[in-house]
CSV table of all heavy atoms in Angstrom, one decimal:
chain,number,residue,atom,x,y,z
A,1,LEU,N,5.9,106.1,-59.8
A,1,LEU,CA,5.3,106.6,-61.1
A,1,LEU,C,3.9,106.7,-61.1
A,1,LEU,O,3.2,107.5,-61.7
A,1,LEU,CB,5.8,105.8,-62.3
A,1,LEU,CG,7.4,105.7,-62.5
A,1,LEU,CD1,7.7,104.7,-63.5
A,1,LEU,CD2,8.0,107.1,-62.8
A,2,GLN,N,3.2,105.8,-60.4
A,2,GLN,CA,1.7,105.6,-60.5
A,2,GLN,C,0.8,106.7,-60.2
A,2,GLN,O,-0.2,106.9,-60.6
A,2,GLN,CB,1.2,104.3,-59.9
A,2,GLN,CG,1.1,104.3,-58.4
A,2,GLN,CD,0.0,104.7,-57.8
A,2,GLN,OE1,-1.1,104.6,-58.5
A,2,GLN,NE2,0.0,105.0,-56.6
A,3,GLY,N,1.3,107.5,-59.2
A,3,GLY,CA,0.6,108.7,-58.7
A,3,GLY,C,0.6,109.8,-59.6
A,3,GLY,O,-0.2,110.9,-59.5
A,4,SER,N,1.5,109.8,-60.6
A,4,SER,CA,1.4,110.9,-61.5
A,4,SER,C,1.0,110.8,-63.0
A,4,SER,O,1.2,109.7,-63.5
A,4,SER,CB,2.9,111.4,-61.6
A,4,SER,OG,3.7,110.6,-62.2
A,5,LEU,N,0.3,111.7,-63.5
A,5,LEU,CA,-0.1,111.8,-64.8
A,5,LEU,C,1.1,112.4,-65.6
A,5,LEU,O,1.5,113.5,-65.2
A,5,LEU,CB,-1.3,112.4,-65.0
A,5,LEU,CG,-1.7,113.0,-66.4
A,5,LEU,CD1,-2.1,111.7,-67.2
A,5,LEU,CD2,-2.8,113.8,-66.5
A,6,VAL,N,1.6,111.8,-66.6
A,6,VAL,CA,2.6,112.4,-67.5
A,6,VAL,C,2.0,112.8,-68.8
A,6,VAL,O,1.1,112.2,-69.4
A,6,VAL,CB,3.7,111.4,-67.9
A,6,VAL,CG1,4.9,112.1,-68.6
A,6,VAL,CG2,4.3,110.9,-66.4
A,7,ARG,N,2.3,114.0,-69.3
A,7,ARG,CA,1.7,114.5,-70.5
A,7,ARG,C,2.8,115.4,-71.3
A,7,ARG,O,3.6,116.0,-70.7
A,7,ARG,CB,0.6,115.3,-70.1
A,7,ARG,CG,0.1,116.5,-70.9
A,7,ARG,CD,-1.2,117.2,-70.3
A,7,ARG,NE,-2.1,116.3,-69.9
A,7,ARG,CZ,-3.0,116.4,-69.1
A,7,ARG,NH1,-3.1,117.7,-68.5
A,7,ARG,NH2,-3.9,115.6,-68.7
A,8,THR,N,2.7,115.4,-72.6
A,8,THR,CA,3.5,116.2,-73.4
A,8,THR,C,3.2,117.7,-73.2
A,8,THR,O,1.9,117.9,-72.9
A,8,THR,CB,3.6,115.8,-74.8
A,8,THR,OG1,2.3,115.8,-75.4
A,8,THR,CG2,4.1,114.4,-75.1
A,9,ASP,N,4.1,118.5,-73.6
A,9,ASP,CA,3.8,120.0,-73.3
A,9,ASP,C,2.7,120.5,-74.2
A,9,ASP,O,1.8,121.3,-73.9
A,9,ASP,CB,5.1,120.9,-73.6
A,9,ASP,CG,6.1,120.7,-72.6
A,9,ASP,OD1,5.8,120.3,-71.5
A,9,ASP,OD2,7.2,121.0,-73.0
A,10,ASP,N,2.4,119.9,-75.4
A,10,ASP,CA,1.5,120.3,-76.4
A,10,ASP,C,0.1,119.5,-76.2
A,10,ASP,O,-0.8,119.8,-76.8
A,10,ASP,CB,2.0,120.1,-77.8
A,10,ASP,CG,2.2,118.6,-78.2
A,10,ASP,OD1,2.1,117.8,-77.4
A,10,ASP,OD2,2.5,118.5,-79.4
A,11,GLY,N,0.1,118.5,-75.1
A,11,GLY,CA,-1.1,117.8,-75.0
A,11,GLY,C,-1.5,116.8,-75.8
A,11,GLY,O,-2.5,116.1,-75.8
A,12,SER,N,-0.4,116.4,-76.8
A,12,SER,CA,-0.8,115.5,-77.9
A,12,SER,C,-0.7,114.0,-77.3
A,12,SER,O,-1.3,113.1,-77.8
A,12,SER,CB,0.3,115.5,-79.0
A,12,SER,OG,1.6,115.4,-78.5
A,13,GLU,N,0.0,113.7,-76.0
A,13,GLU,CA,0.0,112.5,-75.4
A,13,GLU,C,0.0,112.6,-73.9
A,13,GLU,O,0.4,113.6,-73.4
A,13,GLU,CB,1.5,111.8,-75.8
A,13,GLU,CG,1.7,111.5,-77.2
A,13,GLU,CD,3.1,111.0,-77.3
A,13,GLU,OE1,3.4,109.9,-76.5
A,13,GLU,OE2,3.9,111.4,-78.1
A,14,SER,N,-0.6,111.6,-73.4
A,14,SER,CA,-0.7,111.6,-71.9
A,14,SER,C,-0.6,110.1,-71.5
A,14,SER,O,-1.1,109.2,-72.3
A,14,SER,CB,-1.7,112.2,-71.2
A,14,SER,OG,-3.0,111.9,-71.8
A,15,TRP,N,-0.1,109.7,-70.3
A,15,TRP,CA,0.0,108.3,-69.9
A,15,TRP,C,0.1,108.3,-68.5
A,15,TRP,O,0.4,109.3,-67.9
A,15,TRP,CB,1.1,107.6,-70.6
A,15,TRP,CG,2.5,108.1,-70.4
A,15,TRP,CD1,3.4,107.9,-69.3
A,15,TRP,CD2,3.2,109.2,-71.2
A,15,TRP,NE1,4.4,108.6,-69.4
A,15,TRP,CE2,4.4,109.5,-70.5
A,15,TRP,CE3,2.7,109.9,-72.2
A,15,TRP,CZ2,5.2,110.4,-71.1
A,15,TRP,CZ3,3.7,110.8,-72.8
A,15,TRP,CH2,5.0,111.1,-72.2
A,16,GLY,N,-0.3,107.1,-67.9
A,16,GLY,CA,-0.2,107.1,-66.5
A,16,GLY,C,-0.8,105.8,-65.9
A,16,GLY,O,-1.2,104.9,-66.7
A,17,TYR,N,-1.0,105.8,-64.6
A,17,TYR,CA,-1.6,104.7,-64.0
A,17,TYR,C,-2.8,105.1,-63.3
A,17,TYR,O,-3.0,106.2,-62.8
A,17,TYR,CB,-0.6,104.1,-62.8
A,17,TYR,CG,0.5,103.3,-63.5
A,17,TYR,CD1,1.6,103.9,-63.6
A,17,TYR,CD2,0.3,101.9,-63.6
A,17,TYR,CE1,2.7,103.2,-64.2
A,17,TYR,CE2,1.4,101.2,-64.0
A,17,TYR,CZ,2.7,101.8,-64.4
A,17,TYR,OH,3.8,101.1,-64.9
A,18,VAL,N,-3.8,104.1,-63.2
A,18,VAL,CA,-5.0,104.3,-62.4
A,18,VAL,C,-5.0,103.1,-61.4
A,18,VAL,O,-4.7,102.0,-61.8
A,18,VAL,CB,-6.3,104.2,-63.2
A,18,VAL,CG1,-7.4,104.1,-62.4
A,18,VAL,CG2,-6.4,105.4,-64.0
A,19,GLU,N,-5.2,103.4,-60.1
A,19,GLU,CA,-5.3,102.3,-59.1
A,19,GLU,C,-6.8,101.8,-59.3
A,19,GLU,O,-7.8,102.5,-58.8
A,19,GLU,CB,-5.0,102.8,-57.8
A,19,GLU,CG,-5.0,101.7,-56.7
A,19,GLU,CD,-4.4,102.2,-55.3
A,19,GLU,OE1,-4.3,103.2,-55.1
A,19,GLU,OE2,-4.0,101.2,-54.6
A,20,VAL,N,-7.0,100.7,-59.9
A,20,VAL,CA,-8.4,100.2,-60.2
A,20,VAL,C,-8.8,99.5,-59.0
A,20,VAL,O,-10.2,99.3,-58.9
A,20,VAL,CB,-8.3,99.3,-61.4
A,20,VAL,CG1,-8.1,100.2,-62.7
A,20,VAL,CG2,-7.4,98.2,-61.4
A,21,ARG,N,-8.1,98.9,-58.1
A,21,ARG,CA,-8.4,98.3,-56.9
A,21,ARG,C,-7.3,98.7,-55.9
A,21,ARG,O,-6.3,98.9,-56.4
A,21,ARG,CB,-8.6,96.8,-57.0
A,21,ARG,CG,-9.9,96.3,-57.7
A,21,ARG,CD,-9.9,94.8,-58.0
A,21,ARG,NE,-9.0,94.4,-59.1
A,21,ARG,CZ,-8.0,93.5,-59.0
A,21,ARG,NH1,-7.7,92.9,-57.8
A,21,ARG,NH2,-7.3,93.2,-60.0
A,22,PRO,N,-7.5,98.5,-54.6
A,22,PRO,CA,-6.3,98.7,-53.8
A,22,PRO,C,-5.2,97.7,-54.1
A,22,PRO,O,-5.4,96.6,-54.3
A,22,PRO,CB,-6.8,98.4,-52.4
A,22,PRO,CG,-8.3,98.8,-52.4
A,22,PRO,CD,-8.6,98.3,-54.0
A,23,LYS,N,-4.0,98.3,-54.5
A,23,LYS,CA,-2.8,97.7,-54.8
A,23,LYS,C,-2.8,97.0,-56.1
A,23,LYS,O,-2.0,96.2,-56.5
A,23,LYS,CB,-2.4,96.6,-53.7
A,23,LYS,CG,-2.1,97.3,-52.4
A,23,LYS,CD,-1.6,96.3,-51.4
A,23,LYS,CE,-1.3,97.0,-50.0
A,23,LYS,NZ,-0.7,96.1,-49.2
A,24,ALA,N,-3.8,97.4,-57.0
A,24,ALA,CA,-3.8,96.9,-58.4
A,24,ALA,C,-3.8,98.2,-59.3
A,24,ALA,O,-4.7,99.1,-59.3
A,24,ALA,CB,-5.1,96.2,-58.6
A,25,HIS,N,-2.8,98.3,-60.1
A,25,HIS,CA,-2.5,99.4,-61.0
A,25,HIS,C,-2.6,99.1,-62.5
A,25,HIS,O,-1.8,98.3,-63.0
A,25,HIS,CB,-1.1,100.0,-60.6
A,25,HIS,CG,-1.0,100.1,-59.0
A,25,HIS,ND1,-1.4,101.4,-58.4
A,25,HIS,CD2,-0.5,99.3,-58.2
A,25,HIS,CE1,-1.1,101.1,-57.1
A,25,HIS,NE2,-0.6,99.9,-57.0
A,26,MET,N,-3.3,99.9,-63.2
A,26,MET,CA,-3.4,99.7,-64.6
A,26,MET,C,-2.9,100.9,-65.4
A,26,MET,O,-3.1,102.0,-65.1
A,26,MET,CB,-4.9,99.6,-65.0
A,26,MET,CG,-5.1,99.1,-66.4
A,26,MET,SD,-6.9,98.6,-66.7
A,26,MET,CE,-7.1,97.2,-65.7
A,27,PHE,N,-2.0,100.6,-66.5
A,27,PHE,CA,-1.2,101.6,-67.2
A,27,PHE,C,-2.1,101.8,-68.5
A,27,PHE,O,-2.6,101.0,-69.1
A,27,PHE,CB,0.1,100.9,-67.5
A,27,PHE,CG,1.0,102.1,-68.2
A,27,PHE,CD1,1.5,103.1,-67.4
A,27,PHE,CD2,1.4,102.0,-69.6
A,27,PHE,CE1,2.3,104.2,-68.1
A,27,PHE,CE2,2.1,102.9,-70.1
A,27,PHE,CZ,2.6,104.0,-69.4
C-alpha cells in the first residue's frame, strides 16, 4: 500500500504513506 497515494474522485480526501527513512513509513 505504501507506494500509492489514494484519493477520492472529487479530491476532497487523500491519504498514503511516505518513506521518511529507509524502511520507515509514516501514514
Side-chain angles (χ1 to χ4, degrees):
L1 297 173
Q2 70 91 21
S4 60
L5 164 71
V6 181
R7 144 178 325 154
T8 55
D9 290 340
D10 65 359
S12 62
E13 297 177 52
S14 55
W15 57 92
Y17 284 94
V18 169
E19 188 170 19
V20 293
R21 287 177 280 124
K23 299 185 177 188
H25 311 271
M26 196 171 287
F27 186 72

